[in-house]
Amino acid sequence: MRSKADTPASLFIYFKLSASRAPQALQRLAAMQDGLRSRHPGLTARLLARTDGRDVAEPTWMEIYEHPQGLSESFLADLEAAVGALPTGLI
């Protein structure tokens, strides 16, 4: 088990998402984050997009996960399983 000092307070995940897949992917990601928040009380989960117009066809997105007590090993395992359950090629 990691010590409290080794437990990240924030986790940032960057990815590209094609415009054609965005509606389906964003719906699935929102549902995934809702489930994570319900299973991990106090968790903040956000989904942001780069809006500077550099790559309109395939913009960069970022998920942010934060918890006031740090991100536990159980959360990180749950996140990995939730991402693994997304359809292949969606993101």
Side-chain angles (χ1 to χ4, degrees):
M1 179 174 266
R2 292 184 302 202
S3 72
K4 189 70 168 168
D6 294 336
T7 303
S10 302
L11 176 63
F12 300 86
I13 302 170
Y14 296 89
F15 58 94
K16 296 279 192 173
L17 184 59
S18 68
S20 64
R21 291 194 177 261
Q24 180 187 11
L26 297 177
Q27 181 180 22
R28 295 293 297 261
L29 287 169
M32 181 188 82
Q33 288 185 339
D34 286 345
L36 289 166
R37 279 191 291 268
S38 71
R39 293 188 299 276
H40 302 276
L43 178 71
T44 300
R46 295 182 287 159
L47 181 61
L48 305 171
R50 186 175 193 167
T51 59
D52 63 5
R54 287 188 183 184
D55 191 351
V56 176
E58 194 174 65
T60 301
W61 289 81
M62 177 176 65
E63 294 172 78
I64 304 172
Y65 297 95
E66 299 174 302
H67 196 284
Q69 298 170 343
L71 299 173
S72 68
E73 297 230 4
S74 66
F75 164 74
L76 295 173
D78 193 9
L79 175 62
E80 187 174 345
V83 170
L86 293 172
T88 303
L90 184 63
I91 297 174

